[in-house]
């Protein structure tokens, strides 16, 4: 069973080290004060220092990755499933009576113990071989726990596909991050020409054309919604500098924009309207964490996500749209019941705050909003969103982040589930069809770094079970249910050897569907 604040499988210290009769302790939490590691220069540096602490305090007994000590090797994946993080925290802080395991509560600060736990998970994962990449998933048959299915390739020839949505007539819309909106017809053919006259986008690093959504009343309105990144209006690009091999071009001020338009009979983008644009002084040259998922709530209002653009202070600042989930009416106006609609100085479209890089949004059968969010080094989150809720980024995190030492705070909402090591969760959807009866009501989450499609079993506000359906076909960007009741998935294929490309790399992609088998 997956408990709030405690999904990630704990590292066992070895058989018999914890009493099976011992009740689980309440999760300790350090207060959100200025941490001792606030001056560290970056996540890798903090991980390096944490590794040095492990070597100094633990390595003599437990050894290092690939070595043997007189105590169990904590990097052995066979020891990963017995205890959760809170159990391991109790062992490290209190020690084990009658064993050689001393208490470290007076040796290491609380935040450094939590960092050690996350670091162990990251290092243990690094010792494992990467999943073998399969370039062509067509025809693969997978016997999952509750459903056997075959992978069918629907369309190929896409470039870094980001979002997908179905029109009522069965055609599929797919965004390519480079700026093209593509149409796949009812027979599964990718039309050779992209939709003409869509808004220009700024493509650089994580930026570009992001998600697409179809109006709930499309047959009446014809509206299609896009999230995209634009260069700051009026900004003049300087001459491109000469770059050394492997050097990235500089970024320039940009921001996520929400627009809508229609397709005419020629398949051209017309009637364009801008629904959300931030003040120009909020545009930033950072090239990361745009968020940008779109969905509609049960009342038909448009929800969209925006990342904090690599500056975690933005997530705790209600005067900026960055690091927030937003809710607007479909014409761009502000719903009167938005939690900050009347607060002076706050962005009125904000629905929730304290987010890092949210890329998944989906409502369950009773209208609860679930969100998937990228963490720092570890600490990816699945959250249940409450209007006005603060989800803590910039102050608390389950991952390793310089400047953050706390894992919980009384006025902030913790994740329902989290992942260390990272899976880089992107799109999510709730399955409500009948083509996979055993999956009805399950949440499906895609993973970029994890290169996986993951099934989550919900029980009200809890996640009670998870299953990885596959993890060998490249980065998994988005998932949705088609009008035929089947799950459709966007994949990005790695190029060259291995799968260790940065998430921002531009790669070819395809659409697959999961065909149920008896």
């Amino acid at each position: 069973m997956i408990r709030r604040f405690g999904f990630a499988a704990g590292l066992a210290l070895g058989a018999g080290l914890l009493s099976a009769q011992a009740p689980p302790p309440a999760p300790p939490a350090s207060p959100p004060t200025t941490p001792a590691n606030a001056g560290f220069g970056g996540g890798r540096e903090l991980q390096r220092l944490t590794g040095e602490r492990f070597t100094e305090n633990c390595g003599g007994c437990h050894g290092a990755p690939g070595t043997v000590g007189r105590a169990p090797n904590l990097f052995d994946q066979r020891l990963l499933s017995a205890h959760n993080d809170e159990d391991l925290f109790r062992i490290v802080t209190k020690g084990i009576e009658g064993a050689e395991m001393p208490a470290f509560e007076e040796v290491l600060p609380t935040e450094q113990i939590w960092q050690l736990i996350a670091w162990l998970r990251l290092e243990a994962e690094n010792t494992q071989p990467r999943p073998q990449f399969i370039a062509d998933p067509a025809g693969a048959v997978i016997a999952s726990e509750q459903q056997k299915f075959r992978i069918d390739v629907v369309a190929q020839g896409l470039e870094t596909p980001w979002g997908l949505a179905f029109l009522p007539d069965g055609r599929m819309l797919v965004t390519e991050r480079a700026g093209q909106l593509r149409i796949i017809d009812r027979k599964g053919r990718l039309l050779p020409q992209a939709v003409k006259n869509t808004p220009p986008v700024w493509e650089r690093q994580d930026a570009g054309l992001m998600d697409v959504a179809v109006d709930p009343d499309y047959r009446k309105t014809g509206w299609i919604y896009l999230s995209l990144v634009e260069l700051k209006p009026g900004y003049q690009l300087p001459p491109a500098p000469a770059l050394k091999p492997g050097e990235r071009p500089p970024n320039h001020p940009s921001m996520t924009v929400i627009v809508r338009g229609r397709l005419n009979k020629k398949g051209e983008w017309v009637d364009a309207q801008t629904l959300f644009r931030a003040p120009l002084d909020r545009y930033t040259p950072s090239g990361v964490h745009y968020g940008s998922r779109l969905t509609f709530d049960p009342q038909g209002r448009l929800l969209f996500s925006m990342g904090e653009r690599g500056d975690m202070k933005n997530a705790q600042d209600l005067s900026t749209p960055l690091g927030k989930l937003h809710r607007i009416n479909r014409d761009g106006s502000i719903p009167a019941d938005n939690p900050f609609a009347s607060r002076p100085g706050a962005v009125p479209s904000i629905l929730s705050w304290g987010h890092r890089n949210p890329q998944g949004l989906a409502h369950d059968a009773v209208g609860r909003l679930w969100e998937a969010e990228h963490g720092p080094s570890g600490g990816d989150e699945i959250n249940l969103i409450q209007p006005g809720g603060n989800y803590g980024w910039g102050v608390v995190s389950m991952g390793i982040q310089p400047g953050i030492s706390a894992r919980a705070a009384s006025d902030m909402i913790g994740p329902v589930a989290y992942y260390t090591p990272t899976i880089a969760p992107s799109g999510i959807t709730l399955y409500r069809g009948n083509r996979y009866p055993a999956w009805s009501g399950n949440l499906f989450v895609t993973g970029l770094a994890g290169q996986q499609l993951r099934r989550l079993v919900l029980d009200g506000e809890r996640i009670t079970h998870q299953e990885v359906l596959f993890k060998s076909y490249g980065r998994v960007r988005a998932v949705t249910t088609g009008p035929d009741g089947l799950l459709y998935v966007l994949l990005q294929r790695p190029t060259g050897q291995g799968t260790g490309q940065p998430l921002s790399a531009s790669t070819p992609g395809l659409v697959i569907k999961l065909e149920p088998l008896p």
Side-chain angles (χ1 to χ4, degrees):
M1 181 173 294
I2 299 164
R3 300 182 301 160
R4 190 178 297 270
F5 298 108
F7 163 67
L11 288 173
L13 290 179
L17 290 187
L18 286 181
S19 168
Q21 289 75 37
S30 53
T33 56
T34 302
N37 62 323
F40 288 176
R44 291 184 179 181
E45 174 67 5
L46 179 53
Q47 290 184 54
R48 183 188 68 79
L49 293 172
T50 304
E52 290 180 356
R53 293 190 190 104
F54 176 86
T55 300
E56 180 181 352
N57 295 281
C58 314
C61 292
H62 292 285
T67 67
V68 177
R70 66 178 185 270
N73 188 296
L74 302 184
F75 305 95
D76 188 340
Q77 287 282 18
R78 294 171 298 180
L79 304 179
L80 292 178
S81 61
H83 307 295
N84 61 26
D85 283 358
E86 286 72 38
D87 292 333
L88 189 55
F89 181 88
R90 180 166 61 87
I91 292 172
V92 176
T93 55
K94 301 299 182 182
I96 300 175
E97 187 176 356
E100 292 186 69
M101 178 66 191
F104 280 85
E105 60 186 343
E106 296 184 1
V107 178
L108 296 174
T110 295
E111 67 270 14
Q112 292 183 8
I113 295 175
W114 284 121
Q115 290 163 3
L116 274 174
I117 293 169
W119 179 84
L120 283 170
R121 298 190 186 286
L122 296 171
E123 289 299 308
E125 176 74 7
N126 288 336
T127 66
Q128 301 303 301
R130 297 302 179 203
Q132 182 178 3
F133 171 65
I134 300 173
D136 185 6
V141 174
I142 297 174
S144 66
E145 293 174 354
Q146 295 184 322
Q147 177 67 58
K148 187 177 182 180
F149 63 91
R150 182 185 67 244
I151 294 179
D152 290 346
V153 173
V154 177
Q156 304 187 59
L158 295 162
E159 183 64 23
T160 315
W162 212 99
L164 76 163
F166 280 90
L167 294 170
D169 63 8
R171 290 180 297 165
M172 188 190 311
L173 302 174
V174 180
T175 56
E176 295 178 313
R177 196 179 62 193
Q180 292 74 237
L181 177 62
R182 307 296 299 274
I183 297 177
I184 299 173
D185 69 17
R186 289 183 290 271
K187 296 182 179 180
R189 295 176 299 194
L190 176 66
L191 300 188
Q193 299 297 323
V195 173
K196 294 181 179 180
N197 302 326
T198 53
V201 306
W202 171 250
E203 186 199 14
R204 182 70 56 86
Q205 200 167 345
D206 292 350
L209 179 58
M210 305 297 201
D211 208 10
V212 57
V214 174
D215 195 288
D217 298 319
Y218 179 84
R219 292 186 187 277
K220 296 180 179 179
T221 69
W223 289 120
I224 296 168
Y225 301 77
L226 298 174
S227 62
L228 57 93
V229 178
E230 70 171 10
L231 193 66
K232 182 178 179 180
Y235 180 80
Q236 296 297 317
L237 283 172
L243 299 176
K244 299 177 181 178
E247 188 177 9
R248 284 182 173 178
N251 278 307
H252 300 280
S254 65
M255 184 63 72
T256 303
V257 176
I258 309 300
V259 303
R260 71 177 181 178
R262 296 184 174 101
L263 295 178
N264 65 15
K265 293 181 179 180
K266 296 180 180 180
E268 300 167 329
W269 186 262
V270 296
D271 302 332
Q273 298 179 1
T274 298
L275 304 181
F276 177 90
R277 174 179 278 125
L280 297 189
D281 61 359
R282 294 295 183 177
Y283 283 59
T284 168
S286 168
V288 298
H289 301 179
Y290 288 88
S292 248
R293 194 62 65 184
L294 301 172
T295 193
F296 298 94
D297 70 8
Q299 292 74 42
R301 297 172 293 190
L302 180 63
L303 278 59
F304 60 94
S305 64
M306 296 183 71
E308 36 75 293
R309 302 293 299 282
D311 184 349
M312 61 186 182
K313 295 189 299 297
N314 287 328
Q316 293 297 317
D317 182 357
L318 289 172
S319 70
T320 173
L322 299 176
K324 315 295 191 302
L325 302 186
H326 297 265
R327 182 173 65 191
I328 59 176
N329 295 317
R330 281 178 274 170
D331 62 0
S333 61
I334 302 299
D337 61 345
N338 270 11
F340 303 104
S342 301
R343 179 178 294 194
V347 177
S349 58
I350 293 174
L351 178 66
S352 61
W353 51 314
H355 299 288
R356 185 175 183 268
N357 188 21
Q359 287 193 357
L361 294 174
H363 288 87
D364 64 20
V366 297
R368 288 179 290 242
L369 178 62
W370 295 82
E371 177 251 17
E373 180 169 332
H374 292 234
S377 297
D380 296 337
E381 297 180 356
I382 303 294
N383 291 305
L384 190 56
I385 300 301
Q386 299 177 18
N390 184 344
Y391 287 80
W393 178 243
V395 178
V396 299
S397 177
M398 297 296 185
I400 297 178
Q401 171 64 32
I404 296 180
S405 61
R407 285 166 60 95
S410 59
D411 58 344
M412 296 177 180
I413 302 172
V416 179
Y418 65 95
Y419 303 93
T420 301
T422 184
I423 66 168
S426 185
I428 61 176
T429 195
L430 185 93
Y431 184 69
R432 309 184 191 196
N434 57 15
R435 300 294 300 276
Y436 326 96
W439 289 354
S440 182
N442 289 179
L443 197 66
F444 289 81
V445 179
T446 65
L448 298 172
Q451 301 182 66
Q452 60 186 244
L453 180 65
R454 182 178 286 255
R455 180 177 68 92
L456 279 59
V457 180
L458 304 182
D459 180 9
E461 297 185 356
R462 299 183 304 146
I463 298 171
T464 59
H465 180 67
Q466 302 198 35
E467 177 191 16
V468 176
L469 297 180
F470 58 76
K471 57 179 180 180
S472 299
Y473 307 119
R475 300 184 184 95
V476 190
R477 172 67 71 176
V479 57
T480 194
T481 304
D484 55 3
L486 298 181
L487 287 173
Y488 288 75
V489 184
L490 286 183
L491 299 178
Q492 287 177 250
R493 295 176 175 179
T495 56
Q497 298 296 317
T499 58
Q501 294 171 303
L503 296 182
S504 59
S506 181
T507 59
L510 64 158
V511 181
I512 64 171
K513 65 179 178 180
L514 309 188
E515 186 70 40
L517 298 175

